[in-house]
Amino acid sequence: YLADSQLQNSDTAALEAVRLAPREVAYTLDFLRVAQRSRPPKEFLGQLETAYDRFPASPEIILSLARAHERISEDDFVARNLYLRFVDIAPNHPLVPEAQAAADRLR
């Protein structure tokens, strides 16, 4: 649905997948990809915070939340801490240099 730009159907399908398998981080990540396109920025940030509460060790969710706090809420302190948490949790992730640079920029 998302590839065909059917956002409403994408949203419904992603929410249903999360409902049926709430412990599956991959479904939550899929839902977040849809929510980023289909929801207002503040609502998307709320969805990211909920996902982080459920999956606090997911590098992808941590990085997305850091970016959202930097761009949407403009809370540099929270964003910086999340970037640093991402670096700590996933030191071998290919996006670590980007996250470290963002953390350094937000000092």
Side-chain angles (χ1 to χ4, degrees):
Y1 292 122
L2 190 57
D4 291 336
S5 297
Q6 296 180 27
L7 292 179
Q8 184 61 42
N9 290 337
S10 297
D11 194 68
T12 302
L15 278 172
E16 184 66 6
V18 170
R19 185 185 72 79
L20 292 173
R23 298 183 196 274
E24 189 65 45
V25 72
Y27 294 150
T28 298
L29 290 170
D30 287 343
F31 168 71
L32 291 171
R33 284 183 198 93
V34 172
Q36 185 175 17
R37 292 180 177 94
S38 66
R39 313 254 170 139
K42 296 277 185 187
E43 186 178 338
F44 172 62
L45 178 59
Q47 296 293 338
L48 276 169
E49 289 171 341
T50 299
Y52 177 72
D53 289 342
R54 291 180 44 224
F55 301 103
S58 168
E60 293 82 7
I61 291 173
I62 294 168
L63 183 58
S64 293
L65 186 57
R67 289 172 173 163
H69 272 292
E70 182 179 2
R71 296 173 186 157
I72 297 170
S73 71
E74 298 179 353
D75 190 333
D76 292 348
F77 179 78
V78 171
R80 182 176 188 276
N81 286 334
L82 287 164
Y83 282 125
L84 293 174
R85 178 163 166 72
F86 170 78
V87 171
D88 287 342
I89 284 181
N92 298 321
H93 195 284
L95 294 177
V96 163
E98 177 185 320
Q100 189 63 58
D104 292 344
R105 182 181 70 249
L106 296 175
R107 285 184 183 217

